[in-house]
Amino acid sequence: MNRLHADGLPEQAIRDRARRGSAAVFPPDDSYGRTVIGADVTSAATADPLDAARLVPPVFMPRRMEKLIDLAREPLFSDVELRTRIGGFASELPVYVSAFGSTQVGTELALAAGRQAGRLGIPLVVGENVAPAHGYSADSSLLSRLEAYASELPEGVGGVVVQQSTEDADAEVWNRVHTDPAVAPLLDSGRMGFELKLGQGAKPGLGGMTMVGEADAARLSDRYDVTASLDPRGGPRLRSSSPGTFTEEILAQQIRFMRNNFPRVRVWVKLPPGRDVGHAARVAWSAGAHAVTVDGAEGGSGWAPPVFLSRVGLPLGECLRRIGAPDGCLLASGRMWEAGRAVVALALGARAVGLGRAALVAVDEDPENGLVNLVSALALEARLLISALGKYSPEALGSEDVLLPASAAAVASVAAEPSTVP
């Protein structure tokens, strides 16, 4: 029986670490593959100014008058046009599906999400480490994800983007995709992209992580760092990929390499919510990136240490402030599921928003139509909100449409001009 108590300290968390050792740095092992994790939305330490923002319609609406003249009738919310271009692709909506990598939860639901994203005519990102960890053409592999998406994709819209990590580069994943006859229809129609991943919101500065059993640990140990069981009582092992090393010169050169070696492929860059995110985004656009994706610290993952979720990275609103007026296509992700947060992000400079955990939950609820239903609800809300602002396309939104709390009011004002924050 424990006799000692420690008022003022999280006693149960300390005791958990005393029992489980290094394993307590991560969520419980039995939650792997069944949970997508992210920052605690109720914690002041992880608060994002976007969550406290309000959309503020004006009284006088000159753009509504322009629309009235164009239509020869009073405009309705149904007149809002949500079709746009995302990173070089035509898209039915200012929405894309964020990367699902090689964690178990993403693998099991990725095919259903891909098919529905294709049906919606919105871009899909296939995450890192899928081919090195699961194979190129096996079930739920990289190729099967591409084929699932393409199987329901209408002509002329959408696009699939393949992420690459250090281990993917070692396996020459991009080269294999680029030369695969099965992928040729996407490539020939200009609907193939490659995304260079520098990091993600849930764990900035770390590479991808999964939990693996003994058999998979032995199979993967020549490609990844695989630890012994973190729990002194035994159990799954942690598989970690390299986060990669980047400088301004390395990032610019990598993008130029991608543009030169894969001229028909759209080049995307995925940035973590780092303190120099604005500078990194401008380097990427200057080097020729078709899109820069920014995860806020609210971004989720299939596996990450909780201390990263609560203590590391900038909120998405602060990322948008530091980027300022985008020099190219800016994509934003992190806790997106409804149009309130999404429209605020669009008004502050994003071209589109990414659905990650929300997409997985939706297809888990309904493998046939869950994502389609979720996105249709978001699209209706977006039309209602944009119309209420007296505008009729996402591109017409601006920082004047947003009111942020006083502590974050600089987000809206700075989003209209280039940032000077390093």
Side-chain angles (χ1 to χ4, degrees):
M1 178 182 295
N2 297 318
R3 298 178 181 274
L4 184 67
H5 297 287
D7 293 342
L9 285 177
E11 184 178 331
Q12 294 308 312
I14 294 170
R15 294 187 183 280
D16 183 52
R17 290 188 173 211
R19 289 191 301 271
R20 298 197 296 132
S22 297
V25 172
F26 291 87
D29 291 346
D30 59 6
S31 69
Y32 179 72
R34 299 188 297 109
T35 303
V36 281
I37 55 180
D40 179 1
V41 300
T42 65
S43 169
T46 58
D48 183 352
L50 296 191
D51 292 328
R54 294 186 67 85
L55 293 162
V56 284
V59 175
F60 301 121
M61 297 183 176
R63 295 203 181 194
R64 179 169 291 177
M65 176 59 72
E66 293 172 4
K67 195 70 173 177
L68 182 154
I69 294 169
D70 180 53
L71 296 173
R73 61 168 172 79
E74 282 286 349
L76 303 170
F77 70 83
S78 55
D79 294 313
V80 173
E81 178 54 77
L82 294 180
R83 293 189 185 92
T84 189
R85 291 194 66 81
I86 301 177
F89 305 122
S91 178
E92 293 288 359
L93 301 163
V95 175
Y96 64 98
V97 176
S98 298
F100 306 147
S102 59
T103 55
Q104 183 179 327
V105 63
T107 299
E108 292 180 350
L109 299 171
L111 297 183
R115 283 190 291 269
Q116 293 182 52
R119 197 186 318 161
L120 287 162
I122 61 176
L124 168 79
V125 183
V126 177
E128 64 178 346
N129 296 314
V130 175
H134 300 295
Y136 180 79
S137 55
D139 291 343
S140 296
S141 67
L142 179 57
L143 181 59
S144 64
R145 296 192 193 192
L146 300 181
E147 290 176 333
Y149 177 73
S151 68
E152 299 201 29
L153 186 64
E155 287 294 326
V157 294
V160 62
V161 181
V162 178
Q163 226 178 49
Q164 180 166 283
S165 67
T166 300
E167 290 75 17
D168 289 310
D170 292 341
E172 297 190 345
V173 168
W174 283 347
N175 286 326
R176 188 163 185 182
V177 170
H178 195 256
T179 58
D180 189 340
V183 181
L186 288 168
L187 189 63
D188 293 343
S189 61
R191 293 185 287 177
M192 173 59 64
F194 291 159
E195 182 171 74
L196 180 65
K197 180 182 178 183
L198 278 69
Q200 69 179 91
K203 42 183 183 284
L206 298 180
M209 293 179 169
T210 66
M211 299 299 287
V212 297
E214 289 297 328
D216 283 336
R219 177 176 62 85
L220 297 171
S221 60
D222 63 332
R223 281 159 276 174
Y224 296 94
D225 177 64
V226 182
T227 68
S229 175
L230 300 178
D231 194 322
R233 299 169 297 184
R237 299 167 66 177
L238 178 67
R239 186 231 75 191
S240 302
S241 59
S242 167
T245 301
F246 291 92
T247 64
E248 295 175 33
E249 293 77 13
I250 291 173
L251 174 56
Q253 188 58 37
Q254 284 270 51
I255 294 169
R256 295 187 193 106
F257 169 86
M258 294 165 71
R259 292 291 301 258
N260 181 70
N261 287 26
F262 310 111
R264 293 189 293 165
V265 166
R266 304 296 183 260
V267 173
W268 289 24
V269 174
K270 172 75 171 284
L271 297 180
R275 64 177 186 253
D276 54 352
V277 65
H279 181 53
R282 289 188 289 276
V283 168
W285 283 316
S286 178
H290 294 98
V292 170
T293 301
V294 177
D295 257 357
E298 306 82 16
S301 175
W303 204 240
V307 69
F308 274 73
L309 305 176
S310 62
R311 295 281 187 177
V312 183
L314 299 174
L316 181 58
E318 178 63 14
C319 290
L320 296 175
R321 184 185 81 82
R322 297 193 182 203
I323 292 170
D327 294 338
C329 179
L330 174 64
L331 310 179
S333 54
R335 205 189 292 152
M336 297 292 178
W337 66 275
E338 48 78 47
R341 182 175 169 85
V343 171
V344 169
L346 296 174
L348 296 179
R351 179 73 58 80
V353 298
L355 302 180
R357 286 172 290 167
L360 288 173
V361 171
V363 297
D364 184 60
E365 175 66 23
D366 182 347
E368 294 302 319
N369 297 294
L371 179 59
V372 171
N373 293 339
L374 176 72
V375 171
S376 67
L378 187 153
L380 174 58
E381 281 183 327
R383 287 190 168 95
L384 291 166
L385 291 169
I386 295 171
S387 172
L389 293 164
K391 297 179 179 180
Y392 293 89
S393 72
E395 290 80 9
L397 296 169
S399 58
E400 71 276 7
D401 296 315
V402 179
L403 175 69
L404 289 149
S407 60
V411 178
S413 61
V414 177
E417 56 186 334
S419 172
T420 59
V421 179

